[in-house]
Amino acid sequence: MRNPRLMVIVGLASAALLAACGGQSATIESPASEAVPAAFSDREASGEDLANAWFELLSMTGAPSGEFASDSAQVQAGIDLVRPYLDPAFTLVRSSGERYFASNYVPLDVDDYEVSDVVVTQPRDDIR
């Protein structure tokens, strides 16, 4: 079975190479009653589907579109939504030099995005 957290890591790594701005809207219900992208549970999802799913998940964090998170509860809700999809080995280094791991990652509040020109690698049959 494909590990959804590994898929997100690959999607996040791909996202660094992608231009952000329209994604897919297919969703399923998560245990937290938040709609999450269906690609995370689709064993046949393409790399582009997974990259779009990652940005769609990020678009569900923070404040409503066009607004900024105004309190720590909104930020924490975003962290709680994204954390189940991060591999324990997740590492992100932002352009400011800040380092984040699965335990302290604060997701960006992405409202609009477009993913294109995805190049997919598949080091094993169960990892894309």
Side-chain angles (χ1 to χ4, degrees):
M1 181 171 190
R2 177 166 286 139
N3 182 333
R5 290 189 276 180
L6 286 176
M7 292 188 297
V8 170
I9 297 302
V10 172
L12 182 59
S14 299
L17 304 173
L18 304 173
C21 298
Q24 299 179 7
S25 60
T27 60
I28 58 174
E29 292 297 315
S30 76
S33 297
E34 293 286 338
V36 296
F40 289 149
S41 62
D42 181 0
R43 294 178 55 99
E44 302 303 319
S46 70
E48 187 168 345
D49 290 340
L50 296 169
N52 272 302
W54 175 250
F55 278 100
E56 182 153 338
L57 188 68
L58 291 178
S59 75
M60 295 178 211
T61 66
S65 184
E67 299 177 23
F68 293 104
S70 59
D71 60 42
S72 61
Q74 285 179 319
V75 173
Q76 187 61 50
I79 291 168
D80 294 342
L81 178 64
V82 170
R83 186 163 287 156
Y85 299 94
L86 299 178
D87 187 84
F90 172 85
T91 302
L92 173 78
V93 180
R94 292 212 167 124
S95 60
S96 63
E98 292 174 284
R99 294 182 183 274
Y100 292 91
F101 306 97
S103 61
N104 68 347
Y105 175 65
V106 177
L108 296 175
D109 183 7
V110 174
D111 291 327
D112 297 311
Y113 62 93
E114 180 179 320
V115 176
S116 62
D117 300 323
V118 175
V119 176
V120 179
T121 60
Q122 192 163 347
R124 290 189 340 217
D125 288 341
D126 62 338
I127 297 177
R128 185 171 297 123

